[in-house]
Amino acid sequence: MDLVLGLKQLEGRLALMADRVAAVKGKLEDLLFRAHRIANAAKNNMKDNDTMYGYDLQNFRRDLRPFGMDVAALPGLLASLERQAAYDPSAAKLAAGVMRGASRVANALKTLHDASLLAHQHIRAADHKILAWYIAQEIEEMAQKGTSLPSAANKIVIACTTAPAGSPDEDARPPRTG
């Protein structure tokens, strides 16, 4: 596959993934706010009217699995383009876009992980707390996979912008000092 085409596709995929992470975070925040309401009702000895919370928590975990598989595919895609990357001034701008997208996804996954830990801490019911712990563990795995994205994207940027030794582009640059 052509490097420029691959970078365009990957940049789009990273943008979509960042938006998906934001959507998952929104769902998790909804579950967190509902957990707060349930905990406050229990603390004030009031009846809890949210009977669907456990079911929604299970559905969230079920929906998280395919999302995790999509996140797990990103490092492989970046590694594939990294092996294919070579000096190409026309690809430099796209490589920088991929770098920004990878950083955005990695930061969003880290924020999602923090939110999942917070949700786990605020849930009081034992069976719900166990589900929240599993959710936090799955999101932690995703966040760990996401930490390598910016460094792989940086290697692509370096490969696309660094002229090979002895090329006319390298000779035109002023020598490095210091």
Side-chain angles (χ1 to χ4, degrees):
M1 177 173 29
D2 182 39
L3 178 65
V4 173
L5 180 63
L7 287 172
K8 284 181 184 179
Q9 288 178 349
L10 188 58
E11 185 177 14
R13 191 165 186 166
L14 287 169
L16 286 174
M17 187 57 68
D19 292 341
R20 285 182 66 194
V21 171
V24 169
K25 186 173 184 263
K27 291 177 186 177
L28 185 62
E29 285 176 353
D30 174 57
L31 291 169
L32 175 63
F33 291 137
R34 289 169 65 190
H36 280 293
R37 275 199 318 260
I38 293 169
N40 283 336
K43 187 171 81 173
N44 296 330
N45 294 327
M46 296 175 65
K47 186 176 183 287
D48 174 33
N49 293 331
D50 195 353
T51 57
M52 296 296 291
Y53 185 74
Y55 182 72
D56 290 341
L57 201 60
Q58 287 176 348
N59 282 339
F60 179 75
R61 183 174 181 218
R62 186 193 68 220
D63 294 342
L64 200 60
R65 289 182 189 135
F67 174 69
M69 305 249 316
D70 290 342
V71 170
L74 290 176
L77 292 171
L78 275 168
S80 173
L81 275 179
E82 179 186 339
R83 286 188 298 273
Q84 184 180 344
Y87 177 67
D88 187 359
S90 63
K93 189 173 183 179
L94 290 170
V98 167
M99 175 69 183
R100 284 189 300 274
S103 297
R104 184 176 167 212
V105 169
N107 290 336
L109 286 170
K110 186 177 175 186
T111 304
L112 179 65
H113 179 243
D114 293 341
S116 71
L117 291 175
L118 188 64
H120 175 257
Q121 291 173 350
H122 286 285
I123 293 175
R124 297 290 175 227
D127 52 343
H128 298 162
K129 194 160 187 81
I130 292 170
L131 272 174
W133 184 80
Y134 285 129
I135 289 169
Q137 294 301 309
E138 290 173 12
I139 291 175
E140 181 180 12
E141 287 179 24
M142 288 181 228
Q144 287 175 349
K145 289 177 180 150
T147 57
S148 66
L149 296 177
S151 63
N154 188 38
K155 290 177 184 176
I156 294 171
V157 170
I158 291 170
C160 289
T161 58
T162 305
S167 71
D169 290 336
E170 187 194 33
D171 294 337
R173 285 187 283 164
R176 293 185 184 203
T177 56

PDB file of all heavy atoms in Angstrom, residues 91-113:
ATOM      1  N   ALA A  91       4.565  13.213   2.449  1.00  0.00           N
ATOM      2  CA  ALA A  91       3.885  12.480   3.517  1.00  0.00           C
ATOM      3  C   ALA A  91       4.131  13.088   4.890  1.00  0.00           C
ATOM      4  O   ALA A  91       3.531  12.650   5.870  1.00  0.00           O
ATOM      5  CB  ALA A  91       4.339  11.020   3.514  1.00  0.00           C
ATOM      6  N   ALA A  92       4.990  14.094   4.972  1.00  0.00           N
ATOM      7  CA  ALA A  92       5.361  14.653   6.279  1.00  0.00           C
ATOM      8  C   ALA A  92       4.161  15.267   6.997  1.00  0.00           C
ATOM      9  O   ALA A  92       3.980  15.058   8.204  1.00  0.00           O
ATOM     10  CB  ALA A  92       6.456  15.694   6.108  1.00  0.00           C
ATOM     11  N   LYS A  93       3.339  15.993   6.275  1.00  0.00           N
ATOM     12  CA  LYS A  93       2.174  16.639   6.894  1.00  0.00           C
ATOM     13  C   LYS A  93       1.171  15.587   7.379  1.00  0.00           C
ATOM     14  O   LYS A  93       0.607  15.717   8.462  1.00  0.00           O
ATOM     15  CB  LYS A  93       1.517  17.589   5.898  1.00  0.00           C
ATOM     16  CG  LYS A  93       0.444  18.460   6.489  1.00  0.00           C
ATOM     17  CD  LYS A  93      -0.042  19.487   5.491  1.00  0.00           C
ATOM     18  CE  LYS A  93      -1.062  20.406   6.113  1.00  0.00           C
ATOM     19  NZ  LYS A  93      -1.533  21.418   5.174  1.00  0.00           N
ATOM     20  N   LEU A  94       0.968  14.550   6.589  1.00  0.00           N
ATOM     21  CA  LEU A  94       0.063  13.474   6.992  1.00  0.00           C
ATOM     22  C   LEU A  94       0.618  12.713   8.195  1.00  0.00           C
ATOM     23  O   LEU A  94      -0.133  12.323   9.096  1.00  0.00           O
ATOM     24  CB  LEU A  94      -0.180  12.514   5.832  1.00  0.00           C
ATOM     25  CG  LEU A  94      -1.001  13.062   4.677  1.00  0.00           C
ATOM     26  CD1 LEU A  94      -0.961  12.119   3.495  1.00  0.00           C
ATOM     27  CD2 LEU A  94      -2.428  13.285   5.139  1.00  0.00           C
ATOM     28  N   ALA A  95       1.929  12.497   8.208  1.00  0.00           N
ATOM     29  CA  ALA A  95       2.551  11.809   9.341  1.00  0.00           C
ATOM     30  C   ALA A  95       2.389  12.622  10.624  1.00  0.00           C
ATOM     31  O   ALA A  95       2.152  12.064  11.697  1.00  0.00           O
ATOM     32  CB  ALA A  95       4.029  11.546   9.058  1.00  0.00           C
ATOM     33  N   ALA A  96       2.484  13.940  10.511  1.00  0.00           N
ATOM     34  CA  ALA A  96       2.266  14.796  11.677  1.00  0.00           C
ATOM     35  C   ALA A  96       0.813  14.710  12.142  1.00  0.00           C
ATOM     36  O   ALA A  96       0.533  14.725  13.347  1.00  0.00           O
ATOM     37  CB  ALA A  96       2.637  16.239  11.357  1.00  0.00           C
ATOM     38  N   GLY A  97      -0.124  14.607  11.213  1.00  0.00           N
ATOM     39  CA  GLY A  97      -1.523  14.424  11.571  1.00  0.00           C
ATOM     40  C   GLY A  97      -1.768  13.102  12.278  1.00  0.00           C
ATOM     41  O   GLY A  97      -2.551  13.023  13.229  1.00  0.00           O
ATOM     42  N   VAL A  98      -1.080  12.060  11.811  1.00  0.00           N
ATOM     43  CA  VAL A  98      -1.176  10.756  12.472  1.00  0.00           C
ATOM     44  C   VAL A  98      -0.606  10.855  13.886  1.00  0.00           C
ATOM     45  O   VAL A  98      -1.158  10.301  14.836  1.00  0.00           O
ATOM     46  CB  VAL A  98      -0.453   9.666  11.651  1.00  0.00           C
ATOM     47  CG1 VAL A  98      -0.263   8.393  12.448  1.00  0.00           C
ATOM     48  CG2 VAL A  98      -1.234   9.380  10.380  1.00  0.00           C
ATOM     49  N   MET A  99       0.474  11.599  14.031  1.00  0.00           N
ATOM     50  CA  MET A  99       1.083  11.797  15.357  1.00  0.00           C
ATOM     51  C   MET A  99       0.101  12.486  16.303  1.00  0.00           C
ATOM     52  O   MET A  99      -0.058  12.076  17.452  1.00  0.00           O
ATOM     53  CB  MET A  99       2.367  12.623  15.202  1.00  0.00           C
ATOM     54  CG  MET A  99       3.037  12.999  16.477  1.00  0.00           C
ATOM     55  SD  MET A  99       3.739  11.569  17.281  1.00  0.00           S
ATOM     56  CE  MET A  99       4.350  12.319  18.751  1.00  0.00           C
ATOM     57  N   ARG A 100      -0.559  13.533  15.827  1.00  0.00           N
ATOM     58  CA  ARG A 100      -1.545  14.233  16.663  1.00  0.00           C
ATOM     59  C   ARG A 100      -2.708  13.310  17.019  1.00  0.00           C
ATOM     60  O   ARG A 100      -3.179  13.294  18.155  1.00  0.00           O
ATOM     61  CB  ARG A 100      -2.049  15.484  15.944  1.00  0.00           C
ATOM     62  CG  ARG A 100      -1.078  16.643  15.958  1.00  0.00           C
ATOM     63  CD  ARG A 100      -1.733  17.919  15.420  1.00  0.00           C
ATOM     64  NE  ARG A 100      -2.213  17.774  14.048  1.00  0.00           N
ATOM     65  CZ  ARG A 100      -1.460  17.960  12.968  1.00  0.00           C
ATOM     66  NH1 ARG A 100      -0.186  18.300  13.100  1.00  0.00           N
ATOM     67  NH2 ARG A 100      -1.970  17.823  11.758  1.00  0.00           N
ATOM     68  N   GLY A 101      -3.175  12.538  16.047  1.00  0.00           N
ATOM     69  CA  GLY A 101      -4.278  11.606  16.298  1.00  0.00           C
ATOM     70  C   GLY A 101      -3.905  10.528  17.293  1.00  0.00           C
ATOM     71  O   GLY A 101      -4.694  10.172  18.168  1.00  0.00           O
ATOM     72  N   ALA A 102      -2.690  10.006  17.172  1.00  0.00           N
ATOM     73  CA  ALA A 102      -2.234   8.972  18.103  1.00  0.00           C
ATOM     74  C   ALA A 102      -2.120   9.527  19.521  1.00  0.00           C
ATOM     75  O   ALA A 102      -2.506   8.860  20.489  1.00  0.00           O
ATOM     76  CB  ALA A 102      -0.892   8.409  17.639  1.00  0.00           C
ATOM     77  N   SER A 103      -1.616  10.740  19.638  1.00  0.00           N
ATOM     78  CA  SER A 103      -1.524  11.360  20.965  1.00  0.00           C
ATOM     79  C   SER A 103      -2.907  11.611  21.544  1.00  0.00           C
ATOM     80  O   SER A 103      -3.138  11.401  22.746  1.00  0.00           O
ATOM     81  CB  SER A 103      -0.764  12.684  20.881  1.00  0.00           C
ATOM     82  OG  SER A 103       0.554  12.461  20.472  1.00  0.00           O
ATOM     83  N   ARG A 104      -3.823  12.041  20.701  1.00  0.00           N
ATOM     84  CA  ARG A 104      -5.192  12.294  21.158  1.00  0.00           C
ATOM     85  C   ARG A 104      -5.855  11.009  21.659  1.00  0.00           C
ATOM     86  O   ARG A 104      -6.498  10.999  22.713  1.00  0.00           O
ATOM     87  CB  ARG A 104      -5.995  12.898  20.009  1.00  0.00           C
ATOM     88  CG  ARG A 104      -7.395  13.285  20.363  1.00  0.00           C
ATOM     89  CD  ARG A 104      -8.081  13.971  19.186  1.00  0.00           C
ATOM     90  NE  ARG A 104      -9.493  14.066  19.431  1.00  0.00           N
ATOM     91  CZ  ARG A 104     -10.420  14.032  18.507  1.00  0.00           C
ATOM     92  NH1 ARG A 104     -10.079  13.937  17.243  1.00  0.00           N
ATOM     93  NH2 ARG A 104     -11.693  14.112  18.813  1.00  0.00           N
ATOM     94  N   VAL A 105      -5.680   9.911  20.921  1.00  0.00           N
ATOM     95  CA  VAL A 105      -6.267   8.628  21.329  1.00  0.00           C
ATOM     96  C   VAL A 105      -5.624   8.145  22.628  1.00  0.00           C
ATOM     97  O   VAL A 105      -6.318   7.686  23.541  1.00  0.00           O
ATOM     98  CB  VAL A 105      -6.128   7.574  20.213  1.00  0.00           C
ATOM     99  CG1 VAL A 105      -6.489   6.189  20.716  1.00  0.00           C
ATOM    100  CG2 VAL A 105      -7.004   7.937  19.032  1.00  0.00           C
ATOM    101  N   ALA A 106      -4.309   8.243  22.729  1.00  0.00           N
ATOM    102  CA  ALA A 106      -3.617   7.786  23.941  1.00  0.00           C
ATOM    103  C   ALA A 106      -4.077   8.584  25.164  1.00  0.00           C
ATOM    104  O   ALA A 106      -4.334   8.003  26.226  1.00  0.00           O
ATOM    105  CB  ALA A 106      -2.103   7.904  23.761  1.00  0.00           C
ATOM    106  N   ASN A 107      -4.191   9.898  25.014  1.00  0.00           N
ATOM    107  CA  ASN A 107      -4.650  10.723  26.142  1.00  0.00           C
ATOM    108  C   ASN A 107      -6.102  10.431  26.493  1.00  0.00           C
ATOM    109  O   ASN A 107      -6.469  10.406  27.674  1.00  0.00           O
ATOM    110  CB  ASN A 107      -4.469  12.207  25.832  1.00  0.00           C
ATOM    111  CG  ASN A 107      -3.012  12.601  25.809  1.00  0.00           C
ATOM    112  OD1 ASN A 107      -2.170  11.948  26.421  1.00  0.00           O
ATOM    113  ND2 ASN A 107      -2.702  13.655  25.080  1.00  0.00           N
ATOM    114  N   ALA A 108      -6.934  10.216  25.478  1.00  0.00           N
ATOM    115  CA  ALA A 108      -8.345   9.908  25.739  1.00  0.00           C
ATOM    116  C   ALA A 108      -8.485   8.566  26.453  1.00  0.00           C
ATOM    117  O   ALA A 108      -9.319   8.423  27.358  1.00  0.00           O
ATOM    118  CB  ALA A 108      -9.124   9.904  24.432  1.00  0.00           C
ATOM    119  N   LEU A 109      -7.674   7.583  26.073  1.00  0.00           N
ATOM    120  CA  LEU A 109      -7.721   6.288  26.755  1.00  0.00           C
ATOM    121  C   LEU A 109      -7.255   6.396  28.196  1.00  0.00           C
ATOM    122  O   LEU A 109      -7.808   5.745  29.090  1.00  0.00           O
ATOM    123  CB  LEU A 109      -6.883   5.254  25.992  1.00  0.00           C
ATOM    124  CG  LEU A 109      -7.488   4.736  24.698  1.00  0.00           C
ATOM    125  CD1 LEU A 109      -6.470   3.911  23.933  1.00  0.00           C
ATOM    126  CD2 LEU A 109      -8.746   3.929  24.974  1.00  0.00           C
ATOM    127  N   LYS A 110      -6.246   7.216  28.434  1.00  0.00           N
ATOM    128  CA  LYS A 110      -5.770   7.424  29.802  1.00  0.00           C
ATOM    129  C   LYS A 110      -6.857   8.089  30.650  1.00  0.00           C
ATOM    130  O   LYS A 110      -7.090   7.694  31.797  1.00  0.00           O
ATOM    131  CB  LYS A 110      -4.515   8.286  29.779  1.00  0.00           C
ATOM    132  CG  LYS A 110      -3.862   8.459  31.115  1.00  0.00           C
ATOM    133  CD  LYS A 110      -2.589   9.271  30.999  1.00  0.00           C
ATOM    134  CE  LYS A 110      -2.008   9.545  32.356  1.00  0.00           C
ATOM    135  NZ  LYS A 110      -0.863  10.427  32.296  1.00  0.00           N
ATOM    136  N   THR A 111      -7.545   9.066  30.091  1.00  0.00           N
ATOM    137  CA  THR A 111      -8.632   9.740  30.794  1.00  0.00           C
ATOM    138  C   THR A 111      -9.791   8.776  31.038  1.00  0.00           C
ATOM    139  O   THR A 111     -10.407   8.798  32.109  1.00  0.00           O
ATOM    140  CB  THR A 111      -9.120  10.954  29.980  1.00  0.00           C
ATOM    141  OG1 THR A 111      -8.008  11.806  29.735  1.00  0.00           O
ATOM    142  CG2 THR A 111     -10.190  11.725  30.705  1.00  0.00           C
ATOM    143  N   LEU A 112     -10.084   7.927  30.068  1.00  0.00           N
ATOM    144  CA  LEU A 112     -11.130   6.913  30.227  1.00  0.00           C
ATOM    145  C   LEU A 112     -10.781   5.957  31.352  1.00  0.00           C
ATOM    146  O   LEU A 112     -11.639   5.576  32.149  1.00  0.00           O
ATOM    147  CB  LEU A 112     -11.333   6.161  28.914  1.00  0.00           C
ATOM    148  CG  LEU A 112     -12.376   5.049  28.912  1.00  0.00           C
ATOM    149  CD1 LEU A 112     -13.772   5.624  29.147  1.00  0.00           C
ATOM    150  CD2 LEU A 112     -12.331   4.278  27.599  1.00  0.00           C
ATOM    151  N   HIS A 113      -9.523   5.578  31.437  1.00  0.00           N
ATOM    152  CA  HIS A 113      -9.094   4.695  32.522  1.00  0.00           C
ATOM    153  C   HIS A 113      -9.276   5.361  33.878  1.00  0.00           C
ATOM    154  O   HIS A 113      -9.748   4.729  34.828  1.00  0.00           O
ATOM    155  CB  HIS A 113      -7.633   4.275  32.314  1.00  0.00           C
ATOM    156  CG  HIS A 113      -7.121   3.400  33.394  1.00  0.00           C
ATOM    157  ND1 HIS A 113      -6.078   3.776  34.212  1.00  0.00           N
ATOM    158  CD2 HIS A 113      -7.518   2.175  33.824  1.00  0.00           C
ATOM    159  CE1 HIS A 113      -5.861   2.816  35.087  1.00  0.00           C
ATOM    160  NE2 HIS A 113      -6.707   1.843  34.879  1.00  0.00           N
TER     161      HIS A 113
END
